[in-house]
Amino acid sequence: MPYFDAASAAPLHPVARQALLAALDDGWADPSRLYREGRKARMLLDAAREAAAEAVGCRPDELTFTPSGTRAVHTGVAGALAGRRRVGRHLIVSAVEHSSVLHSAEVFEAEGGQVTRVPVARTGAVDAGSYEAALRPDTALACLQSANHEVGTVQPVAAVAEVCRAAGVPLLVDAAQSLGWERVAGDWSLLTASAHKWGGPSGVGLLVVRKGVRFAVQGASDERESGRAPGFENLPAIVAAAASLRAVRAEAEREAARLRELTARIRARVPELVPDVEVVGDAERRLPGVVTFSCLYVDGETLLHELDREGFSVSSGSSCTSSTLTPSHVLKAMGVLSEGNVRVSLPAGAAGHDVERFLEVLPGVVAGVREKLGAPVPVAAVQADVLVVDALGKRCPIPVIELAKVIGTVPVGGTVRVLSDDEAARLDIPAWCEMRGQEYVGEEPAERGTAYSVRRVS
């Protein structure tokens, strides 16, 4: 069964498996002890730290192993903000950061800090000038992912690091998605990553804090890992994580070129094979194996289930795959369609014939989901020369389907007013207008839900 969700978790690399098994035999003792077994464990831990530091491009004593990438982010953000508390209580993040960064920002805000969320372009990329404009004398920390986890867009980390460095503000880079492919460029100050993203075992994260960066560990700590990750180290997993990082880096250049060709094939052919599709994310500055597209008039959760029935494991940032029924914050920030969203993230070694079969299967799956979902006859009424569509109580993508069915019944220049109480409509109706060349007039509160007005242009 083709596994196309490597951006969530990459399959365990063979080198990681070998190193894990070997370390289970030799690395079970306490590396802080001075007897033979402890010394052997310490040697394994030091070797793993040196290997990981070499891959990152930092000093070994700047790198801490944490229980997860999320823990690395939480520790890094909290420690950097606390270390620079005298400077101020202002934090900068991009609007498309991973939830671990955004949750840290929310905690900081709840404690009285101020957070600036930098917007992104429709490609999902930030502009270095926006970070420069957001900097203030009281800015304690800025955060930016190296590449986006949902759409694959690579961020201009080096340029942002330069403007932050000029202002004397440390930049924390979430490198979870890119570290397996290459070092993060630029003069960054802190870096986090997660081993299961590059084929290492889960339960191992990296936190790098450059020398000279003010950092104050928050919460209880002990003598291990510079006090930044208290508790007994999961040494076998750490050894496997470092070994697999070195291994995937050795293969990265060749494998990246191969995966780029496969994802370029998907990006080009999906719009040809499936009508009403928007491929999202930057077409050039992107991760090698990630391609994301959104299908109009399709329920995202149903689409993923049907692809699973056909033997393909993919994921989605669609609002309809979440119990919260709210749009993906990444897609929302980009201003692109959220309904029927599919992320294909190819693991190393993904076969070309599996991609071809995916492209063969996809059109029929989308057509089947659209047919199953149906296009319900909208409840419409004319009010003061405005066609009103009542989509209250109906979830994505029904409001957009009903809009699409009636837009052709109004004259050019006429207006359709869609009533909806689904949060996803706030994103999907403007995105539909962008795709269909119609004019999105705006929204206003209604007696129930929200009224979205669309003017027919063509």
Side-chain angles (χ1 to χ4, degrees):
M1 179 173 178
Y3 177 76
F4 287 175
D5 193 23
S8 293
L12 192 66
H13 193 282
V15 168
R17 183 182 301 276
Q18 294 167 6
L20 182 63
L21 293 174
L24 285 172
D25 291 332
D26 296 332
W28 51 268
D30 186 343
S32 67
R33 301 307 178 190
L34 299 179
Y35 42 70
R36 181 179 58 188
E37 293 85 357
R39 293 197 305 272
K40 185 183 291 187
R42 169 55 64 180
M43 289 175 62
L44 288 173
L45 180 59
D46 289 345
R49 197 184 311 277
E50 289 174 6
E54 192 279 331
V56 170
C58 67
R59 292 170 40 159
D61 60 352
E62 294 175 329
L63 187 147
T64 297
F65 292 110
T66 66
S68 68
T70 295
R71 175 54 61 191
V73 168
H74 292 173
T75 301
V77 172
L81 288 171
R84 286 174 49 82
R85 190 182 183 96
R86 290 185 179 180
V87 173
R89 299 277 287 161
H90 178 232
L91 170 66
I92 302 173
V93 300
S94 84
V96 294
E97 293 300 310
H98 187 268
S99 58
S100 59
V101 173
L102 298 183
H103 291 161
S104 294
E106 290 167 2
V107 170
F108 179 62
E109 228 169 7
E111 294 172 346
Q114 293 183 307
V115 179
T116 296
R117 294 167 177 84
V118 176
V120 297
R122 196 172 175 83
T123 61
V126 303
D127 180 75
S130 297
Y131 265 76
E132 187 172 20
L135 289 166
R136 305 185 333 202
D138 63 340
T139 302
L141 178 68
C143 300
L144 179 63
Q145 58 191 191
S146 57
N148 186 259
H149 50 293
E150 285 192 26
V151 300
T153 298
V154 172
Q155 301 289 3
V157 171
V160 172
E162 184 177 349
V163 300
C164 288
R165 179 68 65 178
V169 174
L171 176 68
L172 183 150
V173 178
D174 171 15
Q177 292 295 334
S178 71
L179 191 61
W181 296 109
E182 60 185 357
R183 288 184 178 180
V184 176
D187 197 7
W188 45 266
S189 302
L190 302 97
L191 180 142
T192 63
S194 187
H196 73 278
K197 301 292 188 180
W198 66 68
S202 59
V204 179
L206 303 182
L207 170 61
V208 178
V209 182
R210 295 282 201 191
K211 294 295 182 183
V213 175
R214 287 185 172 274
F215 193 91
V217 177
Q218 299 301 286
S221 64
D222 61 20
E223 294 76 20
R224 299 177 188 273
E225 294 299 305
S226 304
R228 293 170 186 167
F232 202 100
E233 298 93 342
N234 185 352
L235 187 53
I238 287 172
V239 170
S244 58
L245 180 55
R246 175 179 285 179
V248 298
R249 278 291 190 79
E251 306 159 354
E253 185 175 354
R254 179 181 67 256
E255 189 61 17
R258 197 180 69 83
L259 293 185
R260 286 189 189 282
E261 190 279 326
L262 293 177
T263 52
R265 194 184 309 175
I266 297 172
R267 287 183 65 88
R269 291 185 57 190
V270 165
E272 297 173 355
L273 297 169
V274 182
D276 300 315
V277 164
E278 180 181 20
V279 181
V280 300
D282 196 292
E284 301 297 331
R285 289 181 53 82
R286 58 184 307 98
L287 293 169
V290 178
V291 57
T292 305
F293 54 90
S294 298
C295 305
L296 273 174
Y297 320 132
V298 168
D299 173 81
E301 187 171 11
T302 304
L303 180 57
L304 264 58
H305 284 320
E306 292 302 315
L307 286 170
D308 181 57
R309 287 163 61 94
E310 293 290 341
F312 293 96
S313 301
V314 298
S315 65
S316 172
S318 170
S319 60
C320 297
T321 63
S322 168
S323 60
T324 62
L325 293 174
T326 57
S328 150
H329 71 276
V330 172
L331 302 178
K332 185 175 182 180
M334 294 168 63
V336 298
L337 191 70
S338 75
E339 65 186 51
N341 178 263
V342 175
R343 180 187 68 183
V344 175
S345 49
L346 304 177
H353 62 82
D354 286 335
V355 170
E356 284 301 317
R357 193 168 75 82
F358 175 78
L359 292 170
E360 292 173 5
V361 165
L362 182 67
V365 169
V366 174
V369 172
R370 285 172 173 166
E371 184 177 357
K372 282 183 181 179
L373 185 64
V377 178
V379 179
V382 176
Q383 296 179 0
D385 298 326
V386 175
L387 185 64
V388 178
V389 174
D390 185 352
L392 293 167
K394 299 173 182 177
R395 297 299 178 187
C396 70
I398 301 301
V400 173
I401 289 176
E402 297 195 351
L403 168 62
K405 285 183 68 67
V406 303
I407 190 73
T409 67
V410 300
V412 172
T415 300
V416 176
R417 196 165 181 258
V418 182
L419 303 178
S420 176
D421 51 7
D422 181 11
E423 176 65 22
R426 180 166 281 110
L427 175 63
D428 287 345
I429 290 177
W432 180 89
C433 292
E434 178 80 19
M435 290 179 67
R436 288 302 191 185
Q438 307 297 347
E439 180 185 353
Y440 178 63
V441 178
E443 65 176 77
E444 60 183 3
E447 185 176 345
R448 286 179 56 207
T450 303
Y452 303 91
S453 296
V454 176
R455 182 175 293 114
R456 183 182 175 189
V457 175
S458 58

